Every structure is written in structure tokens, then in C-alpha cells.
Amino acid sequence: MSLKEHENLAKGETLSLDTVLANLKTDEHGLIAAIAQQHDTGEVLMLAYMNEKSIRETLETGQVCYWSRSRQTYWRKGESSGHRQTLVSMSFDCDGDAILLKVDQKGPACHTNRRDCFFFKVDGSNVIINSAPQC
């Protein structure tokens, strides 16, 4: 079964969380891309990865938890920096291969202390840095 089989459901119909999680398209490590977006401005903050355990923890606690591919451990956003992400809503795309997290971001979202991670902006044949660190 896949989420594709459910794409014709009418507005208001429901699926269990277990059904959706069981049908996500993850990589060989059980990871799925998660995009964090500031809930009130629409600003795209970052892309990270989640697995079933981090998804469930995020839903249970309201604090966003990712899987760090570089450190091979769970990463609770803001745990050391204080720049927490509080979950406002979670949605899955139609193919079940991406998550959209609408969050309330406190402080910078990027490890470089910039508001977001997308500060390399293409300008013709150049790429410019379009923001400065906040702290």
C-alpha cells in the first residue's frame, strides 16, 4: 500500500497516523526529508531528516526532533543553542516522500546563526551570500 492509493479521498476523510507512517517513502536508513517553514511568515527555514521515532517524538512533545545524519543521533532543534522550533503543524506530501513542518522558530534556524539555511543566492553566474549571522 502507498499514500498514492489514498489521494482521491474527499476533504475531511481521515487515515490513521500509523497507516501514513507505515507508507512513507524513506531512504535505506528510514529517513525522510523534512522542510521547516515559519508558520506565520511562510519563510522556509531549513531542510533536515526525520525517521518514525523523531516524527512521533515531535508530535508527542511539540518540540521538533530530527535525525542528524552527520552525528548519527537524534537532534532536538535548539537543545544546545536555545534556538528551538515549536511545532505548529505537520503535513505529508502526496507521494509520502517529504514532510512540511510549520514551526515557531526562536532565534536563528541555521547552525551558522543565520535566520535560515538558504543564504547562498544565485545571481546570474554568481552566488552571493544574502544574509549575515544574527549572533
Side-chain angles (χ1 to χ4, degrees), residues 58-77:
T58 297
L59 291 169
E60 289 168 10
T61 67
Q63 295 298 310
V64 180
C65 176
Y66 299 106
W67 176 259
S68 171
R69 296 182 304 167
S70 60
R71 294 186 306 249
Q72 292 293 296
T73 189
Y74 290 97
W75 161 41
R76 290 151 188 95
K77 184 67 176 152

Side-chain angles (χ1 to χ4, degrees), residues 1 9 57 110:
M1 188 182 337
L9 293 175
E57 179 179 318
C110 185

Side-chain angles (χ1 to χ4, degrees), residues 4-56:
K4 196 134 187 86
E5 296 175 29
H6 301 289
E7 65 187 19
N8 291 322
L9 293 175
K11 182 178 179 177
E13 291 189 62
T14 62
L15 297 169
S16 74
L17 180 61
D18 289 339
T19 296
V20 172
L21 294 180
N23 289 285
L24 293 179
K25 292 181 188 173
T26 60
D27 69 10
E28 65 274 11
H29 305 290
L31 300 175
I32 184 170
I35 301 161
Q37 180 181 36
Q38 179 63 30
H39 74 100
D40 53 355
T41 66
E43 176 185 19
V44 176
L45 300 170
M46 57 180 278
L47 170 84
Y49 293 86
M50 300 178 90
N51 60 21
E52 184 173 341
K53 183 177 176 183
S54 65
I55 292 168
R56 288 186 184 277

Side-chain angles (χ1 to χ4, degrees), residues 112 114 118-123 126-133:
T112 66
R114 288 174 171 85
F118 299 97
F119 57 87
F120 292 104
K121 182 179 179 187
V122 176
D123 183 16
N126 296 309
V127 175
I128 61 170
I129 310 304
N130 71 353
S131 67

